[in-house]
Amino acid sequence: MSDNTTQPVEKKTVADFSGSDTFFIPSYQRGYRWGKVQVRQLAEDLLEAAEAKKPYCLQPLVVRQSADGWRVIDGQQRLTTLWLLLYVLNNKTAPKWHLRYERHGNGQELLDIPKSKPDKFFIDQAIETLKKTIKDDKKRLLEYLIKSDNCDNRPFFLWYEVPKGADEHEEHKVFARLNSGKIPLSNAELIKAELLSAITSKRDRYANALDRMEQRLRDEDFWCFVNPEPKATRFEATRIDFLFELWYCGQPKTSTKEEYRGQPNTSTKKDLEKDPFAIYEKARKQISEDRESFWEAITAIFNRLDMWYADQRLYHLLGFLMCQRKENPEERFQRLVTLLEVAKKEPRSEFDRQVSAECRTLLLGDKKSFDEMDLPRYDGDWKARKQIEAILLAFNLAMTEHAGLERTRFPFGTYRNTKWTLEHIHAQQEEGSKELKQDGDIDLHAFGNMALLPHETNARFNNATFPAKREWLRKWADPTKKKDSAFIADDLEALVQADPTKKKDSAFIPFGTRMVFCRLVGKESGDTWDTDDQKLYTQFVIDTLKNYLKETK
């Protein structure tokens, strides 16, 4: 690498760092964000190099000397991982040289970062990954890093030092140039660098607020309630990218704010496929024109999402819209952008009305009311399955709110991280009987014979009888039982076996499903689920949704 702002390159090993060396990670940089794969790969590479007794290049480390120590401009992820590795190798004794993140205060040691900060999550995760990876190789690896007599065989950094006369503004310019072509840097991290550069009075305010937003977005229920695609890999490093995507897609493409059918000619996610850093470029221009207005726009988006999350009804309805498999993620994302614009322009009552209308439209299609709704049968058709899942999810949301507790909330984090299936309430083939046919007794594939269950729970039920399923759920609801243990009924011992790998799925049964098997819908008693139960259940679902999503003027 050549850069006329740096001194000639040197090779520096970790053993060259002394107790008087302190490295600062500037606040304009992203925090520590290496995941398990990156941490494990570095540890394995070092183990392989130690076994072969060969040197290993740790990539460039670009620094600028300040009055208090070295400011790290580039290479902080590897430097932090090396510091953590030495911490693990020394049996939890911190390395003699110091590493501090400016955003958390220059006097704060790396391990003392509060749990409320996103960096802490990745730091703790890295420590556990390193412990598992190096196992019995600690002594050899420690010798390879700092104790080997042969300095040429140690791992080393390519040390680049920015001239001593350079100021912080020049430092930021070097950082931007070094990272401009790197894919790992996201739009959010570049935008943060723009926000925090060349300012002093509000730097802490911006940095602390961004940390709070990141921490909130890492709450799984919050994240899964609002994000149409919560498992997208582009959000692994920083979830604030999601906020900037919402802001970008709500911006007009032109400065004239061209109107089209009453809506701004806004940017879309397809634009980002052509230019992944289009968000940064648009943000950079607005920051240079009016930094405070840009900041207010971003915080307004976050505060609106946070307000929706705090409202029980909006939490359920918006979460419902964001996790519908009937639409692709881009359609759901654009729906969210539109709703943010509505909330910005319309009074709260109108916004609530429109959210309910969106949910009704998604469930009803071209029908005008729930009384006219066609409840599909499920016999393997994917389209019918998605429609039934949508109806059952809405029903479960309504029943969760109806539970009588003001703060009762459906766990979207659990829901979206679980594989779901449609359970036949009356099994297609009950244990010990021949296959049941769709005769006058019951329509096996009708909506009135369907309930929502986690895949693993459904697999356990298999062809169990209705009373056996009810007994399993009764034991599941027993407050003396742990929700992540196996719930073994006397007649289900072969069906429900203790399996620690199934804890997540077995820990959550939707409220509406429990009502079905506990006979809070259908007939009040009976050991079978028959056509009368089907009809009563179907009508109960329709009446519940009609009341839950009723039109308001």
Side-chain angles (χ1 to χ4, degrees), residues 105-171:
N106 288 343
Q108 191 169 50
E109 291 287 355
L110 188 65
L111 297 173
D112 294 331
I113 293 174
K115 288 186 177 181
S116 61
K117 301 295 183 181
D119 293 342
K120 182 64 173 174
F121 168 84
F122 288 95
I123 288 169
D124 290 345
Q125 178 178 263
I127 290 173
E128 291 305 310
T129 303
L130 289 168
K131 288 178 181 177
K132 293 177 182 178
T133 305
I134 61 178
K135 294 181 180 177
D136 300 325
D137 294 304
K138 291 184 177 181
K139 184 177 180 180
R140 181 179 56 175
L141 194 52
L142 185 61
E143 181 178 345
Y144 175 62
L145 287 171
I146 60 177
K147 294 182 179 180
S148 173
D149 293 331
N150 188 348
C151 297
D152 291 335
N153 286 341
R154 290 177 183 164
F156 62 92
F157 283 105
L158 294 174
W159 179 275
Y160 293 81
E161 186 178 339
V162 173
K164 294 181 180 179
D167 58 12
E168 191 171 336
H169 181 65
E170 182 64 20
E171 171 188 313

Side-chain angles (χ1 to χ4, degrees), residues 457-503:
T457 304
N458 195 345
R460 290 170 180 171
F461 278 175
N462 196 11
N463 294 319
T465 62
F466 181 80
K469 296 174 183 179
R470 182 177 57 199
E471 178 65 10
W472 188 92
L473 281 169
R474 184 186 69 78
K475 290 182 178 290
W476 182 92
D478 187 337
T480 66
K481 303 285 186 181
K482 292 182 179 180
K483 292 298 184 291
D484 60 356
S485 63
F487 308 98
I488 303 178
D490 293 339
D491 57 343
L492 281 181
E493 186 169 358
L495 189 62
V496 186
Q497 296 295 330
D499 186 348
T501 66
K502 312 300 183 186
K503 288 181 179 179

Side-chain angles (χ1 to χ4, degrees), residues 276-334:
F277 290 102
I279 297 176
Y280 166 64
E281 288 300 325
K282 180 165 282 194
R284 184 177 59 80
K285 292 177 183 177
Q286 292 211 13
I287 291 171
S288 65
E289 293 172 1
D290 191 340
R291 186 187 306 264
E292 194 63 25
S293 292
F294 173 80
W295 177 249
E296 288 175 359
I298 298 302
T299 53
I301 291 172
F302 174 78
N303 290 336
R304 194 160 282 123
L305 298 178
D306 202 31
M307 180 189 70
W308 294 348
Y309 179 79
D311 185 287
Q312 184 194 51
R313 181 171 174 81
L314 285 178
Y315 166 78
H316 285 140
L317 296 187
L318 289 164
F320 172 74
L321 292 173
M322 289 304 104
C323 67
Q324 285 308 305
R325 294 198 295 168
K326 293 179 64 179
E327 299 177 318
N328 62 48
E330 185 171 338
E331 289 175 316
R332 298 196 295 267
F333 186 90
Q334 200 55 48

Side-chain angles (χ1 to χ4, degrees), residues 341-358:
E341 289 299 307
V342 172
K344 187 164 59 175
K345 298 174 182 177
E346 301 290 346
R348 171 63 187 270
S349 58
E350 173 58 23
F351 176 75
D352 289 0
R353 188 200 67 77
Q354 184 154 330
V355 172
S356 293
E358 293 277 347

